[in-house]
């Protein structure tokens, strides 16, 4: 799949063009999958590719791409908005593990929530269509620092 064509189609469908700035922002997010960049961080990377771009343009571009659901906004407890590529029409989003000590964010590939959804539907007569999950705790690196094996 040529991902730039996919973005182009998604934008075109909503009446927008894949401009250089939009492509640059999308390229950065695509090259940093799993990094959950803030707008400022996106700007730092985009600048390497388009030195003439301003922070305000990057803000506007990120906002537009979010509105169009091409990228997703994530908020963790550091108060920053962070972004990653969207789910391309699939409702389900991967889950996140957040380390309370170092603040690193890890992604969970497996969806482990099916059993819980079934229980919720049964018990509360609530038909679940989606969920977002964040787990908080101690990552393996911080755990190793706190509990050295030697
Ligand atoms: Zn993620
Ligand atoms: Zn950690
Ligand atoms: Zn899930």
């Amino acid at each position: 799949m040529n991902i730039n064509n996919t973005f182009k189609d998604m934008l075109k469908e909503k009446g927008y063009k894949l401009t250089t700035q939009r492509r640059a922002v999308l390229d950065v997010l695509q090259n940093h999958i799993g990094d959950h960049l803030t707008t400022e961080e996106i700007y730092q990377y985009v600048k390497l590719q388009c030195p003439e771009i301003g922070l305000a343009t990057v803000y506007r571009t990120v906002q537009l791409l979010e509105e169009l659901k091409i990228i997703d906004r994530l908020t963790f407890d550091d108060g920053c908005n962070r972004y990653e590529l969207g789910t391309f029409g699939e409702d389900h989003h991967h889950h996140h593990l957040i380390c309370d000590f170092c603040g690193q964010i890890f992604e969970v590939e497996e969806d482990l929530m099916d059993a819980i959804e079934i229980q919720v539907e049964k018990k509360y007569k609530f038909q679940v269509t989606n969920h977002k999950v964040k787990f908080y705790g101690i990552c393996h690196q911080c755990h190793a620092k706190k509990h050295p094996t030697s």
Side-chain angles (χ1 to χ4, degrees), residues 99-104 106 137-143:
C99 177
D100 286 331
F101 289 86
C102 66
Q104 274 194 86
F106 305 89
I138 309 175
C139 75
H140 61 281
Q141 289 156 4
C142 292
H143 191 267

Side-chain angles (χ1 to χ4, degrees), residues 57 70 93 100 119 135:
T57 307
I70 294 174
H93 205 281
D100 286 331
Q119 280 189 34
F135 294 97

Side-chain angles (χ1 to χ4, degrees), residues 91-104:
D91 282 336
H92 186 259
H93 205 281
H94 58 253
H95 304 161
H96 292 106
L97 310 179
I98 301 146
C99 177
D100 286 331
F101 289 86
C102 66
Q104 274 194 86

Side-chain angles (χ1 to χ4, degrees), residues 117-134:
E117 289 195 358
I118 291 166
Q119 280 189 34
V120 166
E121 296 198 7
K122 260 199 210 148
K123 185 166 178 195
Y124 299 95
K125 309 251 179 296
F126 182 88
Q127 201 191 339
V128 179
T129 52
N130 201 3
H131 57 247
K132 288 183 182 175
V133 182
K134 293 178 197 169

